[in-house]
Amino acid sequence: MLIKKPADLRYSEITPKALYLNRRNFLAGVPAAFLGARELMSPSARALAGTKFPNVQKSKYTVGDEKINSYQEVTTYNNFYEFGTDKSQPAETAKNFKTSPWSVSVEGACAKPRKFTMDEILALAPLEERIYRHRCVEAWSIVVPWVGYSLSVLLNQVQPTSKANYVAFETYYDVKQMPLGPRGGLPFPYVEGLRMDEAMHPLALLSVGMFGESLPPQDGAPVRMVLPWKYGFKSIKSLVKIKLVSSMPTATWNAANPSEYGFYSNVNPKVDHPRWSQSSERRLGEFRKRPTLMFNGYGDQVASLYNGMDLKKNY
Ligand SMILES: Nc1nc2c(c(=O)[nH]1)N[C@H]1C(S)=C(S)[C@@H](COP(=O)(O)O)O[C@H]1N2
Ligand SMILES: [Mo]
């Protein structure tokens, strides 16, 4: 293998996150597609940018030719209630969120429960770039080039048993680092859940980055879920625990207001939120509304997971 230090990777630009990335990743070549991305960013986005991943492969699980939202849009309009309820807040208030050292415990109904350090997570499988549409329950959407691999890769490591019917996820919580948390109106830590077959679906992405770089804190650093066929709140950020369980786990928004937010929360233009229509959405950066697609346009891949289910009841 040809080892070379990418010319544009200046060590002065590497954040402390670099410390947990393995050396091999740093010394490999940077795909041409990512060169210059940093130059296109605004100065404030650059200050928030993470560490470039040199060996990201294009994924077959990408959407077609849709226009990707800008780094600026994706990193300054966020939902991350632990860091404030305003969409502009997390970009500011999560700036100093400490994401290294970090580990994720994978436990519960499995033969080999264990903790994975971030280094181990980054080394488990080749990193893929997947361009996914992301549809928030609040009827806005974005298109993001995520970096990661299927969650199934991580789950298979611990050998789930036949009692693993669901997966329960948990976000890190520390009120000292998240002083706005108590004003979020939600009980923390933020928790979410999936049925086991949903969690094992190849589209269910364990994400460690976006735009070819490690995730910025406001987007769920250092590791989060991305579930493109579900409303955004299912895509839980800054994961510290993944537990295989036998019965349906608690999910934060579902528990807070079950008549408004279901456990499944599959994007569905025909099932309205009690307070607003879900039939259309506004893509960030656009004025006209666009129609919302069933399963956010991923029906060919995921509809069979819900065969025979009444999606009006199981919203
Ligand atoms: N821990 C945690 N995860 C979370 C949230 C949150 O408040 N806390 N918000 C969710 C919601 S409502 C959305 S729309 C997405 C937003 O992801 P983004 O800011 O990266 O676009 O994160 C989801 N994951
Ligand atoms: Mo959301």
Side-chain angles (χ1 to χ4, degrees), residues 88 189 202 250:
S88 60
T250 305

Side-chain angles (χ1 to χ4, degrees), residues 79 136-138 140 232-233:
N79 272 335
C136 178
V137 73
E138 298 166 301
W140 52 272
F233 64 85

Side-chain angles (χ1 to χ4, degrees), residues 9-75:
L9 187 65
R10 267 178 271 130
Y11 281 86
S12 60
E13 287 180 352
I14 296 173
T15 69
K17 287 193 205 89
L19 297 174
Y20 64 64
L21 291 170
N22 69 45
R23 198 174 147 71
R24 183 175 51 81
N25 281 349
F26 268 108
L27 295 175
V30 174
F34 297 130
L35 298 181
R38 193 176 288 271
E39 279 65 50
L40 297 171
M41 293 174 192
S42 72
S44 66
R46 261 187 243 182
L48 294 169
T51 303
K52 226 169 247 194
F53 292 121
N55 286 325
V56 183
Q57 312 179 346
K58 291 264 172 270
S59 173
K60 59 181 174 177
Y61 299 112
T62 225
V63 301
D65 269 340
E66 263 182 284
K67 188 167 167 266
I68 295 171
N69 279 94
S70 70
Y71 188 89
Q72 184 73 20
E73 284 164 332
V74 173
T75 57

